[in-house]
Amino acid sequence: RCSECFHPALCCELCIVEMHKNNPFHRVQRWNDSFFERLTLRDAGLVFYLGHCGERCPAAPADVLPTKMTISDLKGFQAVDVFFCRCPSAASELSQLVCARLFPATLARPRSAFTWTLMDDLRLDMAQSKKPIYDYFTKLVRLSRNAEVNADKVGYENLCRAIRFYNAAMRVRQSGQGQGIDEIVQRLYPGLLYAGSVMLPCPSCPHAGFNTPDNVEELVKDPRQEYVVTVSSWSTAHCVTTTRHKYRLNFGMDGNYKLYQKSKLMDAADASIFDGRGAYVKQSVLAEFRTNFGKYKEVSGQ
């Protein structure tokens, strides 16, 4: 029986495999004359075929065997036999997994993957509850076997790598770079964003030619542009001021000039995915600046 289908019925292995050929990650149980023991659909003989609506690729040789993969979803980890499409025009294994809404842990010869639902849930969990990836991974391990939660170091590293690639892919999609937005932005609004930027422009901040008139600099110099602004204070009274700023751009700095968290002392081979396309400058530009800047001495309390 399936422990995830609504009102599951008892059936044989052939029937439960046929029922779940498009739901290969459900948890099943088998009666062993004493109790229902936890198994996987792979134990029942299920093979997850890619590229042909749940059917075996007709171009695949008869002696080709499926690939054993570790798939993770919201209910934990499990082993799944995945059969890739072998057609001459078939995409790479990486692309086939992504099209099946499975995010691979590695880009070359992936043998571990995470469902899209899990990636979205982890991304939202990290943003909303600030939960560390290790705690989320430990929950998945306990859902899978509820023992030796600290033993699977490779699985934790795979999840860390996958969520990093996933966040980068979402940033590329949300910024429009995946759809070639640079061709439009650089032509219609030059100077709004630098080429290849994955940062989102603030819609409230004034940008000349984008959300303010082209002659915004001349407008702010006009003495007739005076406005009365009412500002709420901590007291019950209100402070009324007169300002000549019709458009104002605020810049803030938090004073964190060292970025200790960005210094990967335990992972010297770590590399930036965007390298200059995000909130930080390119490594080559930073290295040149540090070389020209020379040595400096830190001064505290001033």
Side-chain angles (χ1 to χ4, degrees), residues 186-202:
Q186 299 298 327
R187 174 170 52 88
L188 298 180
Y189 309 109
L192 177 63
L193 295 173
Y194 51 88
S197 172
V198 295
M199 304 298 292
L200 299 178
C202 177

Side-chain angles (χ1 to χ4, degrees), residues 24-212:
F25 312 127
H26 279 194
R27 266 62 179 177
V28 295
Q29 299 171 334
R30 181 173 60 187
W31 182 255
N32 61 3
D33 295 334
S34 298
F35 60 92
F36 281 101
E37 60 179 337
R38 180 188 297 182
L39 296 176
T40 64
L41 287 167
R42 179 177 181 270
D43 299 323
L46 176 68
V47 177
F48 185 34
Y49 295 104
L50 299 180
H52 295 274
C53 301
E55 302 296 334
R56 178 186 170 92
C57 177
D63 58 344
V64 175
L65 299 177
T67 302
K68 181 181 178 181
M69 296 189 62
T70 300
I71 307 295
S72 310
D73 65 349
L74 294 178
K75 294 299 182 68
F77 304 87
Q78 64 173 308
V80 179
D81 283 338
V82 179
F83 198 96
F84 293 95
C85 178
R86 305 290 179 175
C87 293
S89 59
S92 62
E93 293 184 356
L94 176 66
S95 298
Q96 292 186 46
L97 289 174
V98 172
C99 290
R101 297 186 62 82
L102 295 174
F103 202 86
T106 55
L107 304 181
R109 298 182 67 252
R111 294 299 176 262
S112 298
F114 304 88
T115 63
W116 224 265
T117 305
L118 184 144
M119 290 283 98
D120 286 336
D121 184 72
L122 174 56
R123 190 164 182 255
L124 182 60
D125 215 19
M126 294 171 57
Q128 184 64 32
S129 63
K130 312 301 180 184
K131 181 186 295 183
I133 301 179
Y134 181 77
D135 292 341
Y136 192 92
F137 171 77
T138 303
K139 182 192 72 172
L140 295 177
V141 175
R142 297 194 63 176
L143 286 172
S144 304
R145 56 178 181 267
N146 202 21
E148 299 180 356
V149 295
N150 299 320
D152 194 357
K153 182 180 179 181
V154 176
Y156 170 65
E157 294 175 349
N158 288 339
L159 181 59
C160 291
R161 186 185 308 109
I163 191 59
R164 184 180 181 188
F165 285 139
Y166 184 80
N167 287 334
M170 293 300 102
R171 178 62 65 86
V172 172
R173 187 194 69 174
Q174 293 172 355
S175 63
Q177 290 296 335
Q179 292 76 28
I181 196 174
D182 265 356
E183 300 178 4
I184 301 176
V185 173
Q186 299 298 327
R187 174 170 52 88
L188 298 180
Y189 309 109
L192 177 63
L193 295 173
Y194 51 88
S197 172
V198 295
M199 304 298 292
L200 299 178
C202 177
S204 300
C205 293
H207 300 282
F210 177 67
N211 54 4
T212 59

